[in-house]
Amino acid sequence: MTLYFTKDHEWIAVDGDIATVGITDYAQSQLGDVVFVEVPPAGTAVEKGKEAAVVESVKAASDVYAPVSGDVTEGNAALEADPSLVNSAPESDGWFFKLTLSNVAELDGLLDEAGYKAFVATL
């Protein structure tokens, strides 16, 4: 499994042509306590850089962008019952959705973990 990051603070874990997407620990810390999450349902086609999910916290509502294009295979239903999973486990149980990659080449423009940490250090 390979892990990538975006400058919009999403992470994407890729295993073959299946990817799992969530927001980073940095993003959840900036949002504060998450109170609502809307994830895309299975079958939704998402496009790289376009809105794919919504997260609301005590501070603000924010869009979560698709780091790559593809078809959603599963939204994390656990987030509807317990949005705080985004705060407690943003890079594991707090994932937002899984998708089938439609263009593997889009992964080339994403950051690796070291690149993301270097980016966050400049903020």
Side-chain angles (χ1 to χ4, degrees):
M1 185 174 304
T2 305
L3 194 59
Y4 299 91
F5 296 87
T6 72
K7 289 185 176 181
D8 290 323
H9 307 289
E10 289 97 15
W11 58 266
I12 175 170
V14 178
D15 187 8
D17 66 345
I18 301 296
T20 304
V21 177
I23 65 171
T24 64
D25 185 58
Y26 176 83
Q28 71 80 24
S29 70
Q30 295 298 302
L31 286 167
D33 293 336
V34 173
V35 296
F36 175 78
V37 177
E38 181 180 324
V39 298
T44 302
V46 295
E47 186 177 337
K48 181 180 179 174
K50 303 289 185 181
E51 299 89 9
V54 175
V55 59
E56 292 182 20
S57 70
V58 293
K59 291 183 179 177
S62 300
D63 292 321
V64 176
Y65 302 101
V68 293
S69 302
D71 294 318
V72 174
T73 59
E74 181 182 359
N76 188 354
L79 293 181
E80 291 180 23
D82 185 7
S84 70
L85 278 174
V86 175
N87 293 116
S88 62
E91 298 180 16
S92 57
D93 293 340
W95 58 274
F96 279 60
F97 58 92
K98 296 183 180 190
L99 59 82
T100 303
L101 300 171
S102 63
N103 183 357
V104 175
E106 290 178 343
L107 296 170
D108 294 340
L110 302 176
L111 301 169
D112 62 12
E113 188 168 5
Y116 178 72
K117 286 182 178 178
F119 169 70
V120 169
T122 65
L123 302 177

